[in-house]
Amino acid sequence: MTHSSSLDANSRTALIVANIGMLLAITIHDADHIRQAANWCYTITVTLWIINVAVYLPSLAALVLSIGRHRFAAGATSAGALLIAILFAKVHLWKPTVNAWGIWNKSFFVLGADWISWSILTMLVLVAVAVAMTGAWVIGRSGAENAKD
């Protein structure tokens, strides 16, 4: 049994680029949190760094699946990106479900986040939506190709 699908080169490339873009957007967001912590004289704990690794896992998994042309690559890309968009917006605009994010257990409103942080959060959510749409586009292409057969 193979884990590969009939992802064509264009679909595979689109998914790889989208997932790399998602990882870059998350990294920029994390860099902004480092900037915030420095400005607020807050020390990011080792525990928080370890927990934060989980944020990268959906996009990393989708990237690996995309590189391997796995049949679930497009679905993983869309699902992971939507999860990131929803959860990042929830955490920063309201509050996290789990109280594990240190000072960022408070919303950006409460923290008084500056325009840089708001811009980066907006960029992250928009990138995540675009990445999810890329996954949906690949799913649609695959469905259209299968319908021809």
Side-chain angles (χ1 to χ4, degrees), residues 5-22 59 62-70 73-74 77 130-131 133-135 137-139 141-142:
S5 72
S6 59
L7 269 185
D8 63 24
N10 288 337
S11 294
R12 179 178 181 260
T13 300
L15 292 175
I16 290 170
V17 169
N19 283 298
I20 289 171
M22 188 76 259
S59 296
L63 178 60
V64 169
L65 292 173
S66 299
I67 290 168
R69 296 180 186 260
H70 195 282
T77 297
V131 169
M133 291 172 64
T134 301
W137 175 77
V138 170
I139 291 169
R141 281 175 52 102
S142 299

Side-chain angles (χ1 to χ4, degrees), residues 76-91:
T77 297
S78 287
L82 285 175
L83 182 70
I84 288 167
I86 291 165
L87 292 179
F88 271 66
K90 180 189 180 303
V91 165

